[in-house]
Amino acid sequence: MKQELSGQLSDKLAKESITGEILNLEPLTGGASKEIWKFEIKSKDSISKFILRRGSGIEGPLAIKTSDEALIQKNVRELGACVPEIVAVSRVDEPLGDAYVMKFVEGESIARKILRDDEYRAALANLAFECGESIAKIHQADITDFSFLPKKTVMEQIDELYQTYVSFDQPSPVFEYTYHWLQGQDFGDLNDTLVHGDFRLGNIIVNSEGLQSIIDWELAHIGNPLQDLGWICGNSWRFGKINKVVGGFGDLEDLLRGYNSISEYQVTENNVKAWQVFGTFRWGVICLIQASAHLTGAVNSVEKAAIGRRVSETELDIVDLLFLGGK
Amino acid sequence: MIFDKPNTLELLDAVKHFLDTKIKDEVPPHLAFKLRIVENVLSIVIREIETGNDLSQEVISGLKKLVESETANIEELAHLIRDRKIDLENPELKNLLVQLSKNKIAVDNPRYSTYKKLIEST
């Protein structure tokens, strides 16, 4: 398989005038639904590192095509947003499949390492601010460039998530309550923007200097930009550091200070709670979707099976936010 | 039960021990992450066998009182909320939803931060 992949990569990159011997092609631990490979290209006088990201062919219902992820990153990179440089895009009918190649970004994306290792300690102090700044730049992209992206209002998303949950026929009293609660909330009447959709610790690359890249664009869509701010504040992405609301490393105040330094619309802390509950519910339904791929027999995956038992984490976070004063 | 020893728990424990002591250091990095998931899955099964019945009964007995029905179950509660046939502002309902969520996580992931926080505060 590796040899075949190497050949397909080589052919694809040659079309982009990137030639040389492909070395050290190795799979990396990635998301549950995409393959990620690291490799090097040795040319006459240098070795360059790259990442291949490729769809498995079985996408979740909320995910966009991998090649479309690449188009978005190319676009927002021109706005000065912190994303990797894309060097090749492969459409689903090409030999490489639905995929893209980007330049390797030095740094770490594994959340627990970023939160734990001394190397990143200094960078963490300013990371919430940098995240706010960067996502605000992304929200300034011209959405007429993204006609291929689904456009979703929050109420449409809530309904879509709820109907998805209902379709799995595993009735949850907490999710029923959450659906009712969400329908009564004010999510802010903001203009539509590009929404990353999965902006959180785990999908950012950090080094000792700070934020290097925002990656994993498969849940991108057009909608309310506050969604990205609520999502990064969900407890699901604090990796045990529950008192640091932003990704387990920062304070909401700093995230918003960074955001408001770029954005015309000034976001307040009050805007975020409903989006946190929404985000937690959304992650719960995504867990159900992932688990269903195993339960229906579409794939046999211990990862996907296990994620079914993470739904209860989101239920507990929601009752904590709604009834117990959780932040 | 007609089966010999080891019982289910003892068998699972042996598998977990084997993975932890003999396999963990042998697997390549991209599988180490999956191995951890496998071990977590085994731990869930072990906890559910050990405590699942008591944790379920505790919630079900609260539910029976709340809805005044001896046959009430979780699915029925979900439908009562869906159809607004229960007062959603009732503090007893909110308490039950908290209890339900805590008892589920006690099996699924008792190291989860929110669970630890709530346990420590009570």
Side-chain angles (χ1 to χ4, degrees):
Chain A
M1 178 194 174
K2 220 196 251 189
Q3 210 171 4
E4 190 190 353
L5 180 60
S6 184
Q8 290 164 346
L9 255 178
S10 197
D11 293 346
K12 180 71 199 175
L13 289 169
K15 288 182 197 155
E16 305 293 336
S17 308
I18 300 170
T19 53
E21 190 188 350
I22 292 187
L23 299 172
N24 301 322
L25 180 62
E26 296 295 341
L28 294 181
T29 302
S33 60
K34 304 262 160 134
E35 287 175 30
I36 300 173
W37 298 77
K38 185 178 169 183
F39 64 96
E40 294 166 359
I41 292 187
K42 190 180 169 194
S43 59
K44 259 185 290 180
D45 43 24
S46 66
I47 291 184
S48 318
K49 293 186 198 175
F50 296 91
I51 294 285
L52 164 71
R53 185 166 157 88
R54 183 156 84 146
S56 61
I58 309 162
E59 309 295 348
L62 303 172
I64 61 169
K65 287 204 285 285
T66 310
S67 51
D68 286 343
E69 289 179 43
L71 300 182
I72 300 168
Q73 289 177 73
K74 278 184 165 180
N75 182 305
V76 298
R77 192 178 159 84
E78 285 171 21
L79 299 173
C82 217
V83 295
E85 185 179 344
I86 307 294
V87 299
V89 182
S90 167
R91 289 279 166 193
V92 68
D93 52 359
E94 296 183 53
L96 193 55
D98 181 32
Y100 63 85
V101 177
M102 60 191 184
K103 284 193 177 163
F104 180 79
V105 177
E106 295 288 347
E108 185 58 68
S109 67
I110 298 173
R112 289 181 193 279
K113 282 192 186 168
I114 294 170
L115 293 180
R116 183 192 61 207
D117 292 357
D118 287 343
E119 195 183 338
Y120 310 108
R121 189 158 301 160
L124 292 187
N126 199 37
L127 191 58
F129 183 89
E130 286 185 294
C131 283
E133 230 180 12
S134 263
I135 200 70
K137 285 181 191 164
I138 285 165
H139 291 162
Q140 288 183 332
D142 180 358
I143 57 172
T144 56
D145 293 339
F146 303 117
S147 56
F148 54 89
L149 283 183
K151 183 178 160 178
K152 294 169 182 176
T153 67
V154 62
M155 288 304 165
E156 281 165 358
Q157 284 195 74
I158 291 168
D159 277 331
E160 185 185 18
L161 291 168
Y162 181 73
Q163 292 309 329
T164 305
Y165 142 77
V166 167
S167 75
F168 295 131
D169 198 25
Q170 180 181 280
S172 155
V174 173
F175 282 177
E176 294 292 343
Y177 193 98
T178 309
Y179 178 57
H180 165 78
W181 188 88
L182 287 171
Q183 285 177 314
Q185 299 307 303
D186 175 8
F187 288 90
D189 188 18
L190 277 75
N191 290 335
D192 282 343
T193 69
L194 172 65
V195 177
H196 178 283
D198 199 6
F199 177 57
R200 61 174 173 87
L201 192 61
N203 287 338
I204 59 179
I205 297 176
V206 175
N207 70 11
S208 59
E209 307 284 303
L211 181 66
Q212 297 302 303
S213 252
I214 296 171
I215 55 174
D216 279 19
W217 288 77
E218 70 184 36
L219 298 180
H221 59 270
I222 303 298
N224 187 320
L226 296 179
Q227 181 172 345
D228 280 333
L229 296 176
W231 187 249
I232 198 174
C233 294
N235 187 49
S236 312
W237 317 120
R238 292 181 211 162
F239 302 90
K241 311 274 187 199
I242 194 166
N243 295 322
K244 286 288 180 187
V245 167
V246 182
F249 58 80
D251 297 324
L252 181 55
E253 192 191 338
D254 293 329
L255 178 78
L256 297 186
R257 215 163 33 81
Y259 193 85
N260 290 337
S261 73
I262 302 289
S263 167
E264 207 169 293
Y265 182 90
Q266 297 294 293
V267 180
T268 68
E269 295 198 13
N270 293 337
N271 292 135
V272 177
K273 180 168 174 175
W275 283 103
Q276 261 179 300
V277 176
F278 167 83
T280 310
F281 176 57
R282 178 169 177 255
W283 171 235
V285 175
I286 293 172
C287 290
L288 287 172
I289 293 169
Q290 300 271 356
S292 85
H294 176 84
L295 292 169
T296 59
V299 290
N300 189 326
S301 153
V302 70
E303 269 170 297
K304 289 188 191 291
I307 211 167
R309 289 298 189 101
R310 293 195 61 190
V311 176
S312 51
E313 295 175 6
T314 66
E315 292 176 333
L316 188 68
D317 281 334
I318 289 171
V319 297
D320 187 40
L321 283 164
L322 295 187
F323 308 142
L324 303 172
K327 297 267 181 212
Chain B
M1 287 293 193
I2 58 172
F3 308 105
D4 297 328
K5 285 188 173 180
N7 66 25
T8 45
L9 270 178
E10 288 158 346
L11 288 169
L12 287 167
D13 192 59
V15 174
K16 197 160 170 271
H17 182 74
F18 169 73
L19 293 176
D20 221 23
T21 55
K22 300 284 195 310
I23 300 297
K24 203 163 151 185
D25 297 330
E26 304 294 324
V27 299
H30 73 283
L31 288 179
F33 173 68
K34 293 201 181 184
L35 180 65
R36 210 163 62 230
I37 294 172
V38 170
E39 294 194 73
N40 285 343
V41 166
L42 287 176
S43 298
I44 293 172
V45 177
I46 290 169
R47 284 191 297 267
E48 186 167 323
I49 293 171
E50 282 177 334
T51 63
N53 201 34
D54 289 349
L55 290 167
S56 296
Q57 284 314 313
E58 192 181 8
V59 177
I60 298 294
S61 68
L63 173 61
K64 285 176 178 170
K65 270 188 224 145
L66 177 70
V67 301
E68 296 170 351
S69 156
E70 271 309 301
T71 56
N73 60 43
I74 293 301
E75 193 172 328
E76 203 177 309
L77 177 62
H79 284 285
L80 288 173
I81 298 171
R82 180 180 297 178
D83 301 334
R84 310 285 183 269
K85 288 187 175 152
I86 189 165
D87 174 13
L88 298 186
E89 292 310 314
N90 181 350
E92 293 303 315
L93 170 65
K94 295 180 182 179
N95 288 340
L96 188 74
L97 294 179
V98 171
Q99 181 84 67
L100 168 64
S101 306
K102 276 173 153 176
N103 287 17
K104 285 171 76 172
I105 208 84
V107 160
D108 290 344
N109 183 6
R111 289 186 303 176
Y112 193 62
S113 57
T114 309
Y115 183 66
K116 285 200 294 193
K117 179 189 82 174
L118 295 176
I119 292 298
E120 279 161 19
S121 70
T122 50

